[in-house]
Amino acid sequence: MQHTRTQDTLVGLFVAAGIVALFFLSLQVSNIRSFMPADTYVITARFSNSGGLKVKSPVTVAGVRIGRVSNIYIDKETYESVVEMSIESKYDTLPEDTSATIYTAGLLGEQYINLDPGGSFDYLKNGGRIEITQSAIVLEEVIGRFLFQKAAE
Amino acid sequence: MLHFIQQLGSSTRTSFAKLGRATLFLGHTLTGAVDVAIKPRLLLNQLHSVGVLTFLIVTISGLFVGMVLGLQGYNILSDFGSEEALGIMVAASLVRELGPVVTALLFAGRAGSALTAEIGLMKATEQLSGMEMMAVDPVNRIISPRFFAGFLSMPLLAALFSMVGILGGHLVGVGLLGVDDGSYWSQMQANLDFYDDIVNGVIKSIVFGFVTTWIALFEGYDSAPTAEGVSRATTRTVVNSAFAILGLDFILTAMMFGDI
Amino acid sequence: MDNSDISADSLISVRNLSFSRGNRKIFDDISLDIARGKITAIMGPSGTGKTTLLKLIGGQLFPEQGSIVVDGLDVHQLRRKELFNLRKRIGMLFQSGALLTDINVYENVAFPLREHTHLTESMIRTLVLMKLQAVGLRGARNLMPNELSGGMARRVALARAIALDPMMILYDEPFTGQDPISMGALVHLIKSLNTTLGLTSIIVSHDVTETSAIADYIYVISDGKIAGQGTPKEIEASDSAWVQQFMKGDPDGPVHFHYPATNYIEDLLVCSQQTARIAAKKETIKTDESLNATGLKNAKGLKKTLSRKRGRSRYHRED
């Protein structure tokens, strides 16, 4: 019965390798970890234009990712874009006068929110709101303005 | 002209008849789940011949495909100054497309053709008929374990292919070309979605495994019981599987990732 | 259906059976009886559907018309489960042996026992060795089917066929392609199994001498009809010219040596006319070539293709 035993071993190894691969893909390659109900709290910010920002775009402080955009919708009265961000709970020391800016990674890369902490000693809590915001730079507008100025000269 | 139309008609008729036979055959095969549940040893033997023997070709191909992706991706991305997106490029193309599709094509070539030849030969040497006369249902006893083995190995093989490919891309991109290790992984993790990408990729490979094994077994079972018939059936398995895989891939991709 | 004429001692009765493949009628309204405990031979030239008859008896094929009753059960009216139960009582020896190629001799013989009984491993071992001893291959139990000669494979298949102690065995061309020694062994085995185990045997064959040596009753089938029937002696003395030709193996008789064709002489003449025409054509090309002095290059090319063509046709002829 030696034959069946090696066969069993090989089949076992094969199945184990396959399962390892599935786990590898799930954990190492995809964003499943951010799906885990990790402790987060939500803050919002209003922008006059959120540009190419999308749900799941990163939220960073000084270049380090501390959360993600969890929702984007429009305020029907003010016509402003309201961006909800889920921030990991361990980063719970964001001052109330933090400002939010939409940046672009590289010239044509994806857009993300950078938070610039202020000097207040009161921290943002769940449901808190960032007052100071700077909208996304829309490339067409910048180029348009530049051309307009050149023409005026 | 009339001749042409007649030919069209007759080939339509035969292909529908074949489709019908294939469907009945599939139904019969699925009833064999009972036999497989009673005698898991049958399934284990087939997992060995279908899965383990395809393992090597799949992992080696995966490694090289990943390495090529790393090299090509780097060349294109460095023109735009975004080499750090290499990770996401390699991983997305592997997990979404190349993993399931190339694995299925390799599977059809390695395991599928072998299954067709095996079943065709068993038919030609009257082994299936003999089994029937011994009051043993050859479809449940011979075909079903092979079907379930193929159908189960496929997602595992595709996942292996993707994993080895991503590691191969890492080897070339990070090891040789100097892409930052952290950004290789983090870009990947930031942009690949568990449900949209990984789960959909696995669903694709399950569908491909189902269809490829079905085609291979049916072609073997439906082959003319001669040496020529078996060799023709083997060719048909590879050709039909390739068509089915690529066609279904388009349909599935449109359903999963497109807005159609 | 009239079953009234089924005699009590017949195990199988075929009544008004018709079967066709495509447009070819293989059986045309035939009726025959197989006696219990006897060896019945069904003979006929190749392609008369002898194997088809066995498959009809085993319920693998369905007739267009008529019925086959085996041991009081109408084979084609049975449900799947009942049919399988009937098949357990029928052993079949296929022409190729039909051994499972991925398991050895021992496991092949044990296969029906493992599938249909719940015997312990030691009982299976005893039974398998008994059956293998009966066919004289107990020593070959560890060989794989591809290591067996044709005659040995058939004997193993026979051991497998009797593994479940069936009531009858169907032999499909048991003597085809055997050397005299294995032929003798098989003839002896079939005869002795039939007497010692009290089996009913049906032999489908076109090996006249071997079959008539052991058969109790012979049916000769031709063109979907029964051409003759009786004991071997009666068949030998048959007044049907066709049966006589078949039994003696005369090259010409009611069955012609030549496949139907047009008149031989005419055929030959047509062919020589065609070659003459081709030769004439080549001649004209050659004359063109010699006349065409200016286009020498073209002519050379033409010559080359001509010789290439000739070369190819030579190759074909040899092939």
Side-chain angles (χ1 to χ4, degrees):
Chain A
M1 287 278 120
Q2 196 57 42
H3 177 64
T4 49
R5 196 164 306 159
T6 49
Q7 202 174 3
D8 286 356
T9 318
L10 286 172
V11 172
L13 281 175
F14 164 64
V15 173
I19 290 170
V20 165
L22 280 174
F23 269 97
F24 172 84
L25 291 183
S26 312
L27 298 177
Q28 180 69 18
V29 174
S30 82
N31 57 353
I32 190 168
R33 270 181 293 190
S34 61
F35 270 85
M36 311 242 177
D39 286 343
T40 56
Y41 64 100
V42 176
I43 56 176
T44 58
R46 289 164 172 266
F47 297 92
S48 58
N49 185 345
S50 62
L53 205 63
K54 290 192 287 278
V55 172
K56 283 190 218 145
S57 293
V59 178
T60 64
V61 170
V64 179
R65 191 171 71 80
I66 60 162
R68 287 173 179 281
V69 172
S70 55
N71 195 7
I72 301 176
Y73 58 92
I74 195 153
D75 186 324
K76 277 190 199 161
E77 281 159 21
T78 62
Y79 303 108
E80 280 176 320
S81 164
V82 182
V83 176
E84 283 181 10
M85 292 164 265
S86 302
I87 309 294
E88 290 176 34
S89 308
K90 57 184 171 184
Y91 305 113
D92 57 352
T93 54
L94 290 174
E96 270 191 344
D97 56 348
T98 296
S99 64
T101 315
I102 298 178
Y103 283 131
T104 306
L107 190 59
L108 301 167
E110 64 166 352
Q111 297 197 300
Y112 65 97
I113 294 180
N114 187 56
L115 300 181
D116 206 358
S120 170
F121 290 103
D122 293 326
Y123 301 129
L124 284 166
K125 300 224 165 44
N126 191 21
R129 181 174 158 185
I130 294 175
E131 302 292 345
I132 314 156
T133 62
Q134 193 182 336
S135 291
I137 297 167
V138 180
L139 206 58
E140 293 93 316
E141 267 179 31
V142 177
I143 295 169
R145 219 176 296 150
F146 174 75
L147 290 176
F148 192 70
Q149 276 171 2
K150 278 282 173 198
E153 281 168 18
Chain B
M1 188 63 202
L2 189 66
H3 177 70
F4 172 74
I5 289 176
Q6 273 174 351
Q7 255 189 347
L8 188 70
S10 84
S11 64
T12 312
R13 208 161 47 91
T14 49
S15 30
F16 267 97
K18 190 166 180 179
L19 200 65
R21 285 202 306 279
T23 312
L24 290 176
F25 173 79
L26 179 66
H28 194 168
T29 305
L30 292 177
T31 63
V34 184
D35 293 48
V36 173
I38 295 170
K39 288 186 183 160
R41 164 64 52 189
L42 293 176
L43 181 67
L44 208 75
N45 288 343
Q46 293 314 316
L47 268 179
H48 177 254
S49 59
V50 171
V52 176
L53 301 180
T54 323
F55 180 89
L56 198 66
I57 184 174
V58 163
T59 41
I60 291 176
S61 316
L63 184 69
F64 281 110
V65 168
M67 282 160 67
V68 168
L69 277 177
L71 207 58
Q72 292 280 19
Y74 181 83
N75 286 339
I76 294 169
L77 291 172
S78 63
D79 287 349
F80 299 99
S82 38
E83 297 94 323
E84 62 280 1
L86 186 65
I88 168 69
M89 202 211 103
V90 170
S93 28
L94 278 170
V95 172
R96 288 184 186 173
E97 286 299 329
L98 294 175
V101 172
V102 177
T103 311
L105 291 174
L106 289 171
F107 184 85
R110 174 67 179 81
S113 57
L115 283 176
T116 306
E118 190 187 10
I119 302 292
L121 217 62
M122 287 182 95
K123 189 181 178 188
T125 54
E126 295 178 309
Q127 290 184 54
L128 297 182
S129 203
M131 225 175 233
E132 212 168 289
M133 283 306 292
M134 285 189 281
V136 176
D137 188 323
V139 173
N140 290 354
R141 186 66 168 60
I142 297 291
I143 309 276
S144 297
R146 284 166 173 76
F147 178 76
F148 288 106
F151 169 51
L152 290 175
S153 342
M154 195 59 171
L156 299 180
L157 288 169
L160 268 168
F161 185 93
S162 298
M163 176 178 82
V164 175
I166 289 168
L167 295 176
H170 184 266
L171 195 72
V172 169
V174 177
L176 299 178
L177 300 170
V179 174
D180 179 54
D181 181 51
S183 55
Y184 185 85
W185 294 115
S186 66
Q187 285 269 337
M188 202 185 287
Q189 287 165 4
N191 290 288
L192 276 191
D193 189 82
F194 178 69
Y195 292 105
D196 285 350
D197 295 312
I198 311 287
V199 174
N200 278 346
V202 171
I203 291 175
K204 267 189 185 181
S205 61
I206 290 176
V207 173
F208 295 161
F210 187 94
V211 173
T212 313
T213 325
W214 177 22
I215 289 176
L217 291 171
F218 177 70
E219 287 293 357
Y221 191 73
D222 202 46
S223 67
T226 57
E228 194 201 2
V230 175
S231 76
R232 271 169 195 270
T234 313
T235 314
R236 272 204 306 274
T237 293
V238 177
V239 173
N240 291 353
S241 299
F243 278 139
I245 290 163
L246 297 172
L248 277 172
D249 184 47
F250 174 73
I251 295 170
L252 288 172
T253 309
M255 274 162 49
M256 288 168 174
F257 301 105
D259 296 321
I260 300 173
Chain C
M1 200 168 43
D2 92 272
N3 280 350
S4 51
D5 59 341
I6 296 178
S7 49
D9 62 345
S10 76
L11 184 63
I12 301 177
S13 36
V14 177
R15 287 288 167 272
N16 310 107
L17 183 77
S18 291
F19 185 83
S20 40
R21 276 231 162 103
N23 292 325
R24 213 161 71 84
K25 243 191 159 52
I26 296 196
F27 297 119
D28 187 10
D29 195 27
I30 64 168
S31 299
L32 50 87
D33 287 283
I34 310 283
R36 206 183 280 270
K38 294 272 167 39
I39 299 178
T40 307
I42 296 171
M43 308 187 73
S46 308
T48 41
K50 301 186 298 293
T51 308
T52 310
L53 182 64
L54 293 187
K55 287 197 167 170
L56 283 163
I57 292 173
Q60 287 185 309
L61 294 173
F62 278 80
E64 272 152 29
Q65 218 179 34
S67 67
I68 296 176
V69 177
V70 178
D71 200 26
L73 301 166
D74 186 333
V75 176
H76 300 98
Q77 304 292 326
L78 293 177
R79 292 137 147 280
R80 195 177 159 71
K81 198 159 179 183
E82 296 165 331
L83 179 63
F84 270 37
N85 279 331
L86 175 64
R87 281 182 187 165
K88 285 179 200 168
R89 299 196 285 146
I90 303 177
M92 179 150 176
L93 184 74
F94 283 85
Q95 195 171 343
S96 60
L99 295 175
L100 302 176
T101 40
D102 54 346
I103 50 180
N104 65 18
V105 166
Y106 179 91
E107 288 298 323
N108 259 296
V109 180
F111 182 80
L113 295 168
R114 289 192 207 283
E115 286 294 322
H116 296 307
T117 65
H118 298 285
L119 298 174
T120 60
E121 197 54 39
S122 69
M123 283 177 81
I124 287 180
R125 191 185 129 85
T126 315
L127 278 172
V128 170
L129 293 186
M130 275 166 64
K131 306 295 174 190
L132 280 174
Q133 176 73 15
V135 297
L137 289 175
R138 190 164 48 83
R141 69 186 111 158
N142 290 324
L143 296 181
M144 293 302 282
N146 58 10
E147 296 171 299
L148 301 174
S149 70
M152 279 159 85
R154 254 174 244 190
R155 274 149 72 188
V156 174
L158 190 53
R160 185 177 68 176
I162 57 172
L164 287 173
D165 292 322
M167 60 176 177
M168 69 166 174
I169 301 190
L170 314 177
Y171 297 92
D172 186 3
E173 302 281 4
F175 309 120
T176 310
Q178 297 296 311
D179 61 72
I181 299 174
S182 13
M183 184 105 84
L186 278 166
V187 170
H188 169 73
L189 258 178
I190 293 172
K191 183 77 188 163
S192 66
L193 281 178
N194 203 69
T195 44
T196 53
L197 300 179
L199 293 167
T200 304
S201 304
I202 302 175
I203 302 177
V204 148
S205 178
H206 50 225
D207 293 288
V208 175
T209 37
E210 289 75 22
T211 313
S212 10
I214 51 170
D216 296 307
Y217 202 82
I218 296 178
Y219 285 96
V220 183
I221 296 181
S222 159
D223 291 333
K225 299 271 190 200
I226 292 175
Q229 66 181 79
T231 60
K233 274 197 183 139
E234 285 167 5
I235 289 285
E236 221 166 291
S238 165
D239 49 6
S240 151
W242 190 91
V243 172
Q244 284 299 332
Q245 190 196 351
F246 178 76
M247 297 302 282
K248 293 198 179 119
D250 296 333
D252 212 347
V255 178
H256 292 293
F257 172 69
H258 289 291
Y259 193 84
T262 52
N263 185 286
Y264 183 41
I265 303 294
E266 269 174 32
D267 226 359
L268 287 177
L269 284 175
V270 167
C271 188
S272 61
Q273 272 164 10
Q274 267 173 356
T275 31
R277 217 174 296 140
I278 289 167
K281 221 180 228 172
K282 272 185 188 166
E283 205 55 43
T284 48
I285 290 171
K286 264 187 191 158
T287 45
D288 279 358
E289 185 186 311
S290 53
L291 284 173
N292 196 348
T294 44
L296 202 64
K297 267 187 188 168
N298 281 351
K300 257 186 189 162
L302 193 62
K303 213 176 190 175
K304 217 179 247 170
T305 46
L306 268 178
S307 63
R308 205 179 295 150
K309 257 182 201 159
R310 239 173 274 143
R312 201 180 298 152
S313 66
R314 203 182 304 129
Y315 171 71
H316 269 286
R317 226 175 296 143
E318 273 172 6
D319 206 18

